[in-house]
Amino acid sequence: MRTLICNLLLVFLGVCAVNAQKSLSFKEHTHAAEKALTENNFYDVGFHSEAAWTLKPKHFEILKNAADAYLMARDYMKAAELYQILLGDNKFADTRLNYARALQQSGQYDEALPEFLQYSSTYNGADREQILDKIESYVEGSTKGIVQTEQAKTSTNNPKLMHLNFNSAKNEVNPFFFNDDIMYFSVQTPRDTMIVRSQYSNEDWSAPTEVPALRNLVPNRAILNGNFVNNGNDFYFSAPENIVKNKRTTKSIYLYHVQKTASGWSVPEKLGERINIEGGISTQPFVFKKYDQEWMFFASNRPGGRGGMDIWWTKRPLNSPVSDFEAPQNCGSIINTDGDEVTPFYDIKLGELYFSSNGRPTLGGLDIFKSKGFTNKWYAPENLGMPFNSSADDMNYVQSQDETQSYFVSNRMLGAEKLNTLDDDIYSVALNAETKYELKGIVQSAENRATLRIARVTLFEKLEKEKTRKLLVSTMCTDGIFNFTVFPNKQYILEIEADSFIRQSQNIAINYDQMTYNISVPLERSKIPDVVANLPITNTPDIHFVSNDSALLVAQTSKPTQEKKQSSAGKNINSKLSYRVQVLAYETPDYNSQRRLQRVEDMGEFDTERATVNGKTYTRVLLKQQNTYTEAISVLKKVKSRALSDAFIVRYENGLRADK
């Protein structure tokens, strides 16, 4: 019945939209789009811009505005439709990239992949290297999306949309629990946010009701999200505040604390300047007790982060005032990227941090990740994959206290129950403890049996009848350890690769009589030099690449004068000249340097040099020696064609570096 009503409403709204487009003039539509933009109502911006374009179809810049607005409004299919019209217009350089992103986020992975690859092959902007890294991430996420979409077709543990009265055309976000039977969450519209409450009884959740006591905590300001602690006697939350200075309004989001008293909640106390930054965002608190301390993870765009929103942590002694929270510390580059990391949830028993990110390979938009560790020591985050993640945005992961259910927020479509991606709803997935067959292993160096800190492990199912193989999962493992769920009476192929080592494959048969398979995989070294082997994985490296204006480290690529006998003092008239191409130089090796070197690994052996400049020690990585400058120029052109634009030629005399 609800589906029928939704369909009828969509038809009705479609008729109204057509009539609206016909009844307004071009100027009226453009003014309406401008007004909607000031209100951050991106769907209306797209609607009115598209309508204006239909009246004057030569104005493709208006169509571009419509497509961009629909993408911001998360109407991915509509955005893809409009971007496709613009593909032939070279004035809009980012159209193909946005078209591919819209396809990916609407779940059209097969169509998105060739668009990403075509854009990467034709883009020649100054930031080509950074764009290639982003596209590599998009391609990896889309490839995983294809595989996991097929696997999801046979899965029995699919996400469920919460009670039909629970979710609406508004945004239902930020769920948090008082206990397993009482859930609070935020209902957001462009003009308002309110906290509501729902109770579980008779195997279902009740229709949500507003909580006036929480709405009135901070007069004239909405509570965006929160977290109960100390058996519900303490409540941490965030609320927006507008600060007017010199007739300019700055929007901030601050963290607050209230305590339950005999007469209700205490007066809200804004956490101190250590936590809240004027003009900044501090939000989504998750507070818990550990080691006789009260700890808090939260999301913030405060200075000192990796970019965008980051996850931060702070602590204070139990029973001390909230003003005693220490200065927050960033969770570091293992967790945070130059994208957004938001909605932290910490599983105290397992020591695992759950959060959402769009700064690493995802199935589309924000995906939910988990990482084992604490404060600033973490293992590489693991993408939870489907059913928790989708091609749309997925965030706000939480667990029930009895650990039987997980809840999260997504704007994904779900069959006939949810027909668009315009709003967020709350979903649930059962946390099963079924019997598993496990394939565990460790990746080591064959040379000394040392465990490799990072390796990519890919698992295929071997299909005998088709004489082929099916990709199941491909993942980066930290500390050389991997663990896959497998099924008995099946044949698998395991492929292992690590930078500086030769790829290896193994055939593995799983039988019913053994539930856990432990294997060791020794890898032989390849051509990449030892100095960049065993590097930590991070999407936001601390690497400092040498640039062309660092005169002490980078030699300018200019053709040298012809060799002549010189009589000046200190010159060897018979000095032998040779040349090398320097690929990169770094202060601290990291994952990004590995990826750069992979692009030229097939061009021969590497050499490394160490150089100390202004008290800092750098490692230079160079290709093999060339006897003539002409040969070196040929090698340099090939290196630069692989998006290593800062490579250059270095001159050597008698084996010693002559260019500083």
Side-chain angles (χ1 to χ4, degrees), residues 272-415:
E273 293 180 356
R274 293 176 182 171
I275 309 298
N276 294 311
I277 303 294
E278 183 175 314
I281 297 174
S282 296
T283 187
Q284 299 162 352
F286 184 80
V287 185
F288 57 96
K289 295 178 182 178
K290 185 179 176 72
Y291 303 142
D292 296 325
Q293 305 272 346
E294 187 169 78
W295 302 77
M296 177 168 62
F297 287 102
F298 65 100
S300 178
N301 65 348
R302 63 198 302 110
R306 299 279 168 170
M309 297 288 289
D310 278 5
I311 306 296
W312 298 73
W313 65 271
T314 182
K315 62 183 175 71
R316 69 179 175 103
L318 288 177
N319 303 320
S320 67
V322 294
S323 59
D324 282 357
F325 270 116
E326 297 176 357
Q329 296 191 42
N330 192 282
C331 284
S333 60
I334 299 297
I335 298 297
N336 294 310
T337 70
D338 58 359
D340 290 323
E341 280 70 42
V342 293
T343 63
F345 170 85
Y346 193 71
D347 186 327
I348 304 172
K349 292 182 180 178
L350 297 180
E352 293 176 335
L353 176 68
Y354 292 81
F355 63 97
S356 288
S357 172
N358 59 14
R360 37 178 54 87
T362 71
L363 302 184
L366 288 163
D367 271 10
I368 303 168
F369 292 79
K370 73 172 180 179
S371 175
K372 199 170 186 65
F374 196 51
T375 60
N376 56 2
K377 295 181 180 179
W378 304 97
Y379 286 91
E382 171 190 348
N383 189 309
L384 295 193
M386 296 182 182
F388 300 96
N389 292 318
S390 68
S391 62
D393 287 328
D394 305 285
M395 55 190 173
N396 284 125
Y397 178 95
V398 294
Q399 293 176 3
S400 60
Q401 294 177 10
D402 62 7
E403 299 177 347
T404 61
Q405 290 285 329
S406 64
Y407 301 87
F408 59 92
V409 170
S410 178
N411 66 318
R412 70 182 69 182
M413 294 189 289
L414 187 68

Side-chain angles (χ1 to χ4, degrees), residues 116-164:
F116 281 129
L117 297 175
Q118 182 173 346
Y119 184 80
S120 65
S121 66
T122 57
Y123 184 77
N124 291 310
D127 58 345
R128 174 172 166 78
E129 193 166 307
Q130 291 84 352
I131 292 295
L132 286 181
D133 286 340
K134 283 187 177 182
I135 291 177
E136 185 176 335
S137 180
Y138 293 143
V139 168
E140 183 176 343
S142 296
T143 304
K144 289 180 179 179
I146 293 173
V147 174
Q148 294 188 25
T149 299
E150 286 300 312
Q151 293 174 341
K153 292 178 180 178
T154 58
S155 174
T156 59
N157 192 23
N158 295 314
K160 296 179 180 179
L161 192 65
M162 298 292 288
H163 191 285
L164 296 182

Side-chain angles (χ1 to χ4, degrees), residues 34 77 88 224 306 375 439 451 542:
E34 291 169 359
M77 298 184 73
L224 302 180
R306 299 279 168 170
T375 60
L439 173 61
T451 301
D542 291 323

Side-chain angles (χ1 to χ4, degrees), residues 445-448 450 452-454 498-502 523-536 586 588-590 593-594 597 601 604-610 619-622:
S445 167
E447 181 181 359
N448 55 14
L452 301 186
R453 290 177 59 190
I454 177 172
D499 289 314
S500 305
F501 291 86
I502 299 172
L523 297 184
E524 300 287 345
R525 284 195 174 274
S526 66
K527 298 176 182 177
I528 293 182
D530 293 345
V531 72
V532 295
N534 298 332
L535 301 179
Y586 54 79
T588 303
D590 78 337
S593 59
Q594 289 184 346
L597 288 175
E601 185 180 8
E605 298 288 344
F606 291 110
D607 283 332
T608 59
E609 299 175 345
R610 304 285 279 174
T619 299
R620 299 159 168 162
V621 183
L622 306 101

Side-chain angles (χ1 to χ4, degrees), residues 195-215:
I195 300 291
V196 297
R197 177 184 184 274
S198 179
Q199 186 158 2
Y200 189 80
S201 62
N202 299 323
E203 300 184 354
D204 201 358
W205 290 93
S206 66
T209 57
E210 187 181 357
V211 187
L214 295 182
R215 174 179 278 274

Side-chain angles (χ1 to χ4, degrees), residues 65-285:
N65 292 340
D68 291 343
Y70 279 129
L71 187 60
M72 289 289 291
R74 302 188 298 179
D75 190 340
Y76 312 121
M77 298 184 73
K78 187 65 176 178
E81 175 189 329
L82 300 189
Y83 281 129
Q84 190 173 26
I85 299 172
L86 292 163
L87 286 180
D89 196 326
N90 295 326
K91 290 187 299 183
F92 308 115
D94 60 345
T95 295
R96 190 172 299 277
L97 178 57
N98 287 340
Y99 175 52
R101 289 176 56 216
L103 289 172
Q104 181 190 25
Q105 291 217 248
S106 61
Q108 301 177 75
Y109 297 116
D110 288 314
E111 292 81 0
L113 278 173
E115 299 298 334
F116 281 129
L117 297 175
Q118 182 173 346
Y119 184 80
S120 65
S121 66
T122 57
Y123 184 77
N124 291 310
D127 58 345
R128 174 172 166 78
E129 193 166 307
Q130 291 84 352
I131 292 295
L132 286 181
D133 286 340
K134 283 187 177 182
I135 291 177
E136 185 176 335
S137 180
Y138 293 143
V139 168
E140 183 176 343
S142 296
T143 304
K144 289 180 179 179
I146 293 173
V147 174
Q148 294 188 25
T149 299
E150 286 300 312
Q151 293 174 341
K153 292 178 180 178
T154 58
S155 174
T156 59
N157 192 23
N158 295 314
K160 296 179 180 179
L161 192 65
M162 298 292 288
H163 191 285
L164 296 182
N165 293 326
F166 206 88
N167 292 298
S168 67
K170 301 175 183 177
N171 289 316
E172 284 79 26
V173 296
N174 301 309
F176 58 97
F177 287 91
F178 182 82
N179 55 42
D180 281 339
D181 296 329
I182 300 177
M183 176 192 288
Y184 291 79
F185 60 92
S186 303
V187 178
Q188 296 180 346
T189 68
R191 298 179 182 276
D192 188 28
T193 297
M194 64 179 179
I195 300 291
V196 297
R197 177 184 184 274
S198 179
Q199 186 158 2
Y200 189 80
S201 62
N202 299 323
E203 300 184 354
D204 201 358
W205 290 93
S206 66
T209 57
E210 187 181 357
V211 187
L214 295 182
R215 174 179 278 274
N216 297 327
L217 280 178
V218 185
N220 302 319
R221 276 184 278 150
I223 294 177
L224 302 180
N225 44 62
N227 178 210
F228 288 111
V229 288
N230 191 25
N231 296 321
N233 290 314
D234 291 272
F235 182 56
Y236 289 87
F237 64 94
S238 68
E241 181 175 332
N242 291 337
I243 301 171
V244 180
K245 280 188 176 181
N246 300 323
K247 298 182 179 180
R248 296 185 64 181
T249 301
T250 302
K251 294 184 177 181
S252 299
I253 298 178
Y254 294 144
L255 290 173
Y256 294 80
H257 166 263
V258 291
Q259 195 168 44
K260 188 172 287 185
T261 66
S263 58
W265 292 108
S266 64
V267 175
E269 180 178 0
K270 183 193 296 185
L271 303 191
E273 293 180 356
R274 293 176 182 171
I275 309 298
N276 294 311
I277 303 294
E278 183 175 314
I281 297 174
S282 296
T283 187
Q284 299 162 352

Side-chain angles (χ1 to χ4, degrees), residues 594-607:
Q594 289 184 346
R595 291 165 64 178
R596 288 164 62 91
L597 288 175
Q598 279 181 315
R599 299 173 191 168
V600 291
E601 185 180 8
D602 62 330
M603 295 180 64
E605 298 288 344
F606 291 110
D607 283 332

